[in-house]
Amino acid sequence: MLVATPGGAHNDVSSPTVISSSEPTLNSSSLALLSFAEKKEAYQEHVQGVYQKAGLKNAGLSFSVFERAYTGYQNFRQQGVASADKPVMTVVDFTKPSNVKRMWIIDIKSGKVLYNTLVAHGRNTGNVKAEMFSNEPNSNMSSMGFYVTDHTYYGKHGLSLRLSGKDEKYNSNAMERAIVLHGADYVSDAFVKQYGRLGRSLGCPAVPREISGDVIDLIKDNTVLYIHTADKKYTSAYLNAELAVEAFALEMDMRQQLGA
């Protein structure tokens, strides 16, 4: 992998990983004519291909978490909720402790990890590990599930990005709670070295301040963000794999017709 580290006070806080690759090519001339089983096989090969070409295993993101996130990404795009012009997906894995890089921003089309960085959880969610989650106002906990990024604004943390929670019961109060992506000084290698963990937010996914502006500009305006946890009771309408398969087949057929 070719690793480039952005400038800033904290070395290797986020290392955008550049992979020279392209989307996997499909052999079928028309996925719409295939059986569902064949479409599913093509979809699974595609997801595996993106995962491998982006070097996500080496970047620390498990395939099972990536696959869940990608299923939601595909469904959001098919429903027209996520931007068709920004093939970018953000994944946060809160099963990992806060002292390791557990956020990945992936360009799906080009097969590149654009950022792999530290990200904080809420102060009442846990200490080093994220263990408790809530959708309730004033809980000071993180919320799990799928989000679509909204617009930016300037607040007490500087440039911040509003997040629209799309999972009822799990994160639907994100706007009301002012759960946003922002930069914070307590998200840094230096903080981890001193305390063994990151500082904690009031529930927001906070990132290193020196890259926050670039990250926000990259993922703003209707891109998918998925926050994964160990909660086995979590469910989402956007994890419907059958719909994702059909959405993928339709998208590939449209691209072939357009010669893309």
Side-chain angles (χ1 to χ4, degrees), residues 51 56 59-73 88-96 101-108 113 115-119 145-147 181 205 207 219 223-229:
Y51 180 79
L56 288 166
L61 178 59
S62 74
F63 178 74
S64 61
V65 175
F66 173 76
E67 185 178 34
R68 286 168 68 87
Y70 192 87
T71 296
Y73 167 82
V88 175
M89 178 177 75
T90 303
V91 184
V92 173
D93 186 356
F94 273 159
T95 67
K96 295 178 177 291
K101 297 176 182 179
R102 53 183 181 171
M103 172 186 276
W104 299 261
I105 302 176
I106 307 154
D107 186 319
I108 300 299
V113 177
Y115 282 93
N116 177 202
T117 188
L118 299 167
V119 59
F146 284 102
Y147 298 78
L181 191 146
V207 299
I219 70 172
T223 69
V224 176
L225 184 154
Y226 172 60
I227 295 180
H228 179 73
T229 74

Side-chain angles (χ1 to χ4, degrees), residues 134-188:
S134 176
N135 191 31
E136 296 302 315
N138 303 314
S139 66
N140 292 341
M141 293 185 191
S142 298
S143 299
M144 67 186 77
F146 284 102
Y147 298 78
V148 171
T149 62
D150 202 89
H151 301 308
T152 61
Y153 72 98
Y154 283 88
K156 63 181 181 180
H157 298 289
L159 182 66
S160 302
L161 177 62
R162 291 186 172 91
L163 302 175
S164 177
K166 298 301 181 181
D167 286 328
E168 193 66 34
K169 298 190 304 181
Y170 296 101
N171 61 21
S172 55
N173 291 328
M175 284 287 190
E176 177 187 350
R177 296 179 60 202
I179 299 300
V180 302
L181 191 146
H182 63 78
D185 294 331
Y186 54 75
V187 184
S188 69

Side-chain angles (χ1 to χ4, degrees), residues 11-28:
N11 292 329
D12 199 30
V13 166
S14 174
S15 302
T17 306
V18 181
I19 312 293
S20 297
S21 63
S22 59
E23 275 192 289
T25 34
L26 303 171
N27 295 323
S28 173

Side-chain angles (χ1 to χ4, degrees), residues 106-128:
I106 307 154
D107 186 319
I108 300 299
K109 185 175 182 179
S110 64
K112 295 178 181 178
V113 177
L114 303 178
Y115 282 93
N116 177 202
T117 188
L118 299 167
V119 59
H121 56 249
R123 65 173 57 166
N124 289 338
T125 282
N127 192 12
V128 178

